[in-house]
Amino acid sequence: MNLLAFAASNSSQSINRQLVDYAIRLLTDGLVEGVPASEVEVRMIDLNDFEIPIYSIDRQNADGIPQPAHDFYDTIGAADALLISFAEHNGSYTVAYKNIFDWASRINMRVYHDKPIVMLSTSPGGGGGRFVLRSAAHLAQYFGNEVLASLSIPKFDQNFDTTAGTLTNADLDAQLQDALATLSKVAGDSAAA
């Protein structure tokens, strides 16, 4: 299984990136039931590598779709499955994510190529980014996603050891492993192909 993973944030200190890194470690260390580490190849991307001007129809008509939008779209197309942790800014997507997504949707509305996805979110507050996660999961069907699982991690600073890079809340850790275990079908299908 070729898994594409990223945090929907452009912060160099992104807690969503830390959550994705931990989830990847669970997968590649073989700690997720039904997903053998030998069947997982992860490609991690950084939204900062896809920085482009703010989308506008005028800019698209004048200059076309920038190459980074094509690169983002093609990178998703090359994956078997996706793992994204959504940062929440004022109850919605970060501008960095929304901008590259908007540009890519001009290539094809089904930005995610009908790929299965595990969606995560976290925040310092008790909401854990649940508003953006709910929005992302709800809209997924329109943009070519099969949502396998979604999980919000509240109070990041209380539930995550940033030095060790691990979830310290056993219940949330078990929920994360259950969410990642939904990738077992994708890993099995990829191995059979």
Side-chain angles (χ1 to χ4, degrees):
M1 170 179 58
N2 294 314
L3 180 68
L4 177 66
F6 65 93
S9 168
N10 62 345
S11 169
S12 63
Q13 305 298 314
S14 172
I15 59 177
N16 282 278
R17 171 64 188 252
Q18 293 175 61
L19 181 59
V20 168
D21 288 343
Y22 177 60
I24 289 170
R25 204 162 72 240
L26 290 174
L27 288 163
T28 58
D29 287 352
L31 301 175
V32 176
E33 187 175 333
V35 186
S38 61
E39 294 183 18
V40 179
E41 184 177 317
V42 179
R43 177 168 183 197
M44 184 76 170
I45 61 171
D46 184 332
L47 288 189
N48 289 302
D49 295 334
F50 301 93
E51 191 170 324
I52 49 181
I54 298 291
Y55 176 79
S56 78
I57 190 67
D58 295 333
R59 187 169 276 137
Q60 180 184 345
N61 288 339
D63 303 321
I65 298 172
Q67 188 59 47
H70 288 280
D71 296 343
F72 181 75
Y73 179 80
D74 293 343
T75 299
I76 290 169
D80 296 319
L82 309 172
L83 171 65
I84 304 173
S85 191
F86 292 91
E88 184 176 281
H89 287 189
N90 300 316
S92 190
Y93 302 109
T94 65
V95 172
Y97 170 77
K98 184 72 166 73
N99 189 50
I100 191 65
F101 184 89
D102 286 347
W103 275 110
S105 74
R106 302 304 291 180
I107 299 166
N108 185 323
M109 192 66 171
R110 298 188 73 75
V111 174
Y112 290 114
H113 301 263
D114 299 307
K115 305 293 182 177
I117 184 172
V118 172
M119 293 181 168
L120 307 173
S121 68
T122 191
S123 75
R130 74 175 178 267
F131 294 119
V132 71
L133 187 61
R134 185 180 309 141
S135 178
H138 173 73
L139 294 172
Q141 62 184 319
Y142 302 106
F143 301 111
N145 270 141
E146 174 194 353
V147 180
L148 299 175
S150 64
L151 176 66
S152 169
I153 305 290
K155 301 181 180 178
F156 182 80
D157 297 331
Q158 295 175 30
N159 291 310
F160 196 91
D161 180 338
T162 56
T163 303
T166 59
L167 270 172
T168 55
N169 180 306
D171 182 52
L172 290 172
D173 194 54
Q175 290 179 53
L176 176 59
Q177 290 187 40
D178 287 346
L180 295 172
T182 62
L183 292 166
S184 62
K185 179 184 182 305
V186 182
D189 290 349
S190 297

